[in-house]
Each structure stands twice: as C-alpha cells, then as structure tokens.
C-alpha cells in the first residue's frame, strides 16, 4: 500500500506538450508513496485511455483515476471497454471519472452539451455493463442502444468518479457516484459546503454518505519552485479558469461578481490570446496578480513546505476524505510530502484503499 493513500497528484498538469513526461512522474509519485495519480484529458496529447494504459504498465501500487473524460465523445461501449481494460490491467486500481466538460467547446466541435440526465443515464449503462449484464432496448438521454454487452465474462467492480463544481453537479455526484473530485481554488468554506451537499444528496438517495470518497483539489506551489514558475502555476492557472468559466467558480465560492467583471474588462485580459498559464509572459502574470483579490489566490497551498502541509490538513478539517495536490510534479511535491509525514495522523487514513474511487479497503 502507498504511504499516503490520502494524497494524489495530476500527471501532466497544465499544458504539457510531451506525454512521455507522465511516465517519469507516475514512477516518481509511486516511489514517494503518493496514493493516486489522476489523468485529465485534453484534445491534443492527453487521451484518458492511452494514459491510463501507460500508468498501469509502469506502476504496481499507486491508484489511477481518470478525472475526467466526458460521456459523449466515446460510445458507452467504448468507454466501458477502456475502463474494463484499465481495471484489469491495474489489478483493480483504476477509477473511471466523468464530468460535464465545457459547453462552449462542445458547441464549437458540434457535439451535444452534457446534461445531468445524460451523465446519470451514462452511469446507469456503464454499471450495467460492468456487472456483466446486457443493456437491451435502452433509450434514454445517453442514447438509444438496441443491445450492448461486453464480450468479457464476469463482473468488474469499477468505481465511477465525478468531477463536480456547481451545486447541481455536486448533488448528482452524491446521488450516483462512488467518488467526487472537487475543483481547484475552492476556499475552505466552499470545500466544507461542497462536502455537505454531496453527503446530504447521498443520504437522500438512501446511500451511506461516508461511502462517497470526496477529493479536495488544492493548488500547491511550494516556495522552492522558481518565482516565475510559481506565478504561472498560481496566478496563470486561476486566471485561465476565470477566462473559461469564471461565473461558475465565483458563484461556488461566493466571490464578488464585480471583481470578476473588473478582471474580464481589464485591457490586458481582453487583448490576450490563449490560456494565461500557457502563453502569459511574466509581465502579464505580474499584472494579473495585481488585479486578482488576495483571498481568491489564497484558496491554495503556498509558501514553505510546512505551510503547504498545514493547508493539506485544512482540507481534511473541511471534511474532505483525500486531497489532490494540483499543478505540481511529484519532484516539486517532495518537500511538502516530507512535511506532511511529520504532522499527519496515519490512523486517520488507514481505511483508504489505493483505488481513488473507493472509500474503504
């Protein structure tokens, strides 16, 4: 078992152009004792299935989670095949993560937007297939499928994660998901509120609220990282989120809509092409830092390794079961893990399995 089953990281965090870097990161993360590696997806060099296959091939103990892919760019049968393959290759360490994605991107690609109904229906179809049963004459928001069944025999116990930001997504996750991945730059109060929404929704669905594993996602930028890179990882990343779906993020946190409007109407923000964390110069990022309220940037772990470890503890105090240390490589996280080792209470996490989608061994 990993030393830190309660902690995870994202491989290829940010706009990594070379997916081969994930191989070293996953190996190093496992060597450091991290509990899980999460694999996000982009329409370029980050395919969930390929990365999950690579992760299973080069690791032995670390949990592997797709967080996330969407339910409409792959047929449910293809998604079920991908998950089953990763599950069996990994010896049961894999969790399939689904999310809504971004409406604007799907509109540009000519794909249908992802509704709650579609997500819920897709999960129902996938679980039917994972049980080894057939979906016969299915006609719902996920699509019309006369007959779906895996050719593989047997039942596969594959957990389903959901990435959730807004209240409706959190409620849905509490009703149907085995695990929930929150969003980066949630304040501690927002983490606590999100945990309550998930747990209450699980209870209302007559599920054990404690059975849903909730992952906080904490932007972690320790002081040994060079200043310019720290600014890109913190300011650039938050500014990029605000570009794409700022309204949803500030609503979740209860932040000021006026501050968001001031940010969006800033001339440099309006003139900039591309994502700030990928293409912003240090001068641009310095300018943005002055435009963003300090308490927005404070929804992260920064400073000394000890302070970052204390911020991890804050996430557990807010009710999270586990924490993804976001935006940093395992090498960058090593000092934080050492500091965390000295303040964590091991018995508190002894029940957690390596698989990031399950809450107990």
């Amino acid at each position: 078992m990993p030393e830190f089953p309660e902690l995870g990281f994202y491989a290829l965090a940010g706009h990594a152009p070379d997916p081969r870097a994930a191989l070293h990161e996953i190996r190093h993360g496992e060597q450091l004792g991290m509990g899980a590696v999460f694999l996000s997806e982009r329409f370029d060099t980050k395919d969930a299935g390929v990365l999950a296959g690579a992760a299973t091939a080069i690791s032995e103990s670390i949990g592997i989670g797709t967080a996330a892919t969407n339910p409409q760019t792959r047929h449910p049968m293809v998604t079920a095949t991908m998950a089953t393959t990763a599950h069996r290759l990994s010896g049961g360490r894999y969790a399939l993560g689904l999310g809504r994605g971004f409406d604007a991107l799907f509109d540009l690609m000519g794909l249908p937007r992802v509704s709650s109904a579609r997500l819920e229906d897709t999960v129902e179809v996938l679980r039917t297939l994972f049980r080894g049963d057939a979906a016969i004459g299915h006609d719902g928001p996920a699509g019309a499928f006369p007959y779906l069944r895996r050719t593989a025999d047997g039942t596969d116990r594959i957990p389903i994660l959901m990435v959730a930001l807004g209240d409706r997504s959190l409620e849905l996750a509490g009703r149907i998901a085995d695990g929930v991945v929150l969003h980066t730059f949630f304040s501690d109060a927002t983490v606590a509120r999100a945990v309550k929404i998930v747990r209450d929704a699980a209870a209302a669905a007559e599920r054990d609220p404690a059975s849903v594993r909730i992952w906080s996602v904490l932007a972690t930028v320790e002081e040994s990282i060079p200043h310019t890179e720290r600014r890109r990882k913190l300011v650039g990343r938050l500014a990029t989120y605000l570009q794409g779906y700022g309204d949803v993020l500030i609503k979740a946190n209860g932040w000021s809509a006026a501050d968001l409007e001031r940010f969006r109407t800033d001339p440099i923000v309006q003139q900039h092409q591309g994502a700030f964390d990928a293409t912003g110069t240090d001068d641009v990022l310095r300018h943005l830092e002055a435009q963003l309220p300090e308490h927005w940037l404070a929804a992260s772990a920064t400073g000394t390794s000890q302070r970052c470890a204390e911020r991890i503890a804050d996430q557990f105090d807010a009710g999270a079961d586990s924490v993804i240390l976001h935006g940093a490589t395992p090498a960058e996280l090593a000092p934080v893990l050492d500091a965390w080792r000295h303040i964590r209470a091991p018995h508190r996490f002894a029940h957690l399995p390596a698989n990031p989608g399950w809450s107990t061994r």
Side-chain angles (χ1 to χ4, degrees), residues 41 47-49 52 66 68-87 94-99 118-119 122-123 125-127 129-130 142 145 148 150 158-161:
E41 193 165 53
D47 177 86
T66 294
T69 188
N70 60 77
Q72 89 276 39
T73 51
R74 295 181 182 88
H75 188 282
M77 193 72 249
V78 176
T79 301
T81 300
M82 178 184 78
T84 302
T85 306
H87 166 75
Y94 176 75
L96 171 66
L98 299 173
R118 184 174 189 134
L119 272 171
T122 299
V123 169
V125 171
L126 290 173
R127 286 197 170 128
L129 297 173
F130 294 158
F145 310 116
L148 300 181
R150 298 181 308 174
I158 305 171
I160 293 180
L161 297 166

Side-chain angles (χ1 to χ4, degrees), residues 151-174:
T151 56
D153 292 330
T155 297
D156 291 283
R157 188 169 176 261
I158 305 171
I160 293 180
L161 297 166
M162 276 193 59
V163 174
L165 200 169
D167 289 3
R168 287 188 301 170
S169 294
L170 291 165
E171 290 169 2
L172 176 64

Side-chain angles (χ1 to χ4, degrees), residues 296-316:
W296 290 16
L297 293 168
S300 60
T302 59
T304 66
S305 57
Q306 177 67 26
R307 178 56 185 151
C308 290
E310 291 167 355
R311 290 292 291 129
I312 294 172
D314 292 339
Q315 308 307 293
F316 293 111

Side-chain angles (χ1 to χ4, degrees), residues 22-35:
L23 305 179
H24 172 71
E25 291 173 7
I26 293 166
R27 289 192 187 100
H28 196 189
E30 186 171 68
Q31 290 167 1
L32 292 172
M34 300 197 75

Side-chain angles (χ1 to χ4, degrees), residues 60-328:
E60 294 293 336
S61 63
I62 196 168
I64 302 163
T66 294
T69 188
N70 60 77
Q72 89 276 39
T73 51
R74 295 181 182 88
H75 188 282
M77 193 72 249
V78 176
T79 301
T81 300
M82 178 184 78
T84 302
T85 306
H87 166 75
R88 295 190 179 189
L89 273 174
S90 67
R93 292 181 285 129
Y94 176 75
L96 171 66
L98 299 173
R100 290 181 183 277
F102 308 111
D103 288 346
L105 178 59
F106 295 142
D107 291 346
L108 290 171
M109 295 177 66
L111 291 170
R113 295 183 177 187
V114 180
S115 64
S116 294
R118 184 174 189 134
L119 272 171
E120 187 165 6
D121 198 38
T122 299
V123 169
E124 179 184 339
V125 171
L126 290 173
R127 286 197 170 128
T128 297
L129 297 173
F130 294 158
R131 287 194 303 267
D133 296 332
I136 301 172
H138 183 94
D139 191 357
F145 310 116
Y147 184 85
L148 300 181
R149 186 168 190 167
R150 298 181 308 174
T151 56
D153 292 330
T155 297
D156 291 283
R157 188 169 176 261
I158 305 171
I160 293 180
L161 297 166
M162 276 193 59
V163 174
L165 200 169
D167 289 3
R168 287 188 301 170
S169 294
L170 291 165
E171 290 169 2
L172 176 64
R175 289 204 319 271
I176 69 171
D178 301 298
V180 184
V181 176
L182 304 182
H183 198 278
T184 324
F185 293 107
F186 269 12
S187 69
D188 294 356
T190 302
V191 171
R193 188 177 68 84
V195 168
K196 185 176 187 307
I197 291 172
V198 171
R199 305 277 189 228
D200 287 352
E206 299 184 345
R207 307 176 66 203
D208 176 6
S211 70
V212 184
R213 186 168 178 178
I214 302 176
W215 288 84
S216 171
V217 184
L218 183 66
T220 305
V221 189
E222 196 263 346
E223 65 178 2
S224 63
I225 298 170
H227 282 284
T228 54
E229 190 61 18
R230 292 209 306 264
R231 196 171 288 114
R232 182 173 303 283
K233 288 174 177 289
L234 190 65
V235 176
R237 187 173 299 276
L238 176 54
T240 298
Y241 293 152
L242 296 175
Q243 281 178 301
Y245 45 91
D247 296 291
V248 182
L249 185 56
I250 68 157
K251 182 179 180 181
N253 277 313
W255 291 343
S256 167
D259 285 337
L260 177 62
E261 182 63 18
R262 180 171 53 80
F263 169 82
R264 284 178 166 169
T265 57
D266 179 87
I268 289 180
V269 172
Q270 291 191 326
Q271 294 166 12
H272 190 79
Q273 300 294 317
F276 285 112
D277 60 341
T279 61
T281 65
D282 194 53
D283 285 343
V284 167
L285 295 177
R286 284 176 183 275
H287 174 81
L288 296 180
E289 190 171 17
Q291 311 309 309
L292 296 171
E294 289 185 9
H295 65 282
W296 290 16
L297 293 168
S300 60
T302 59
T304 66
S305 57
Q306 177 67 26
R307 178 56 185 151
C308 290
E310 291 167 355
R311 290 292 291 129
I312 294 172
D314 292 339
Q315 308 307 293
F316 293 111
D317 291 343
D321 299 303
S322 303
V323 182
I324 300 172
L325 307 180
H326 190 210

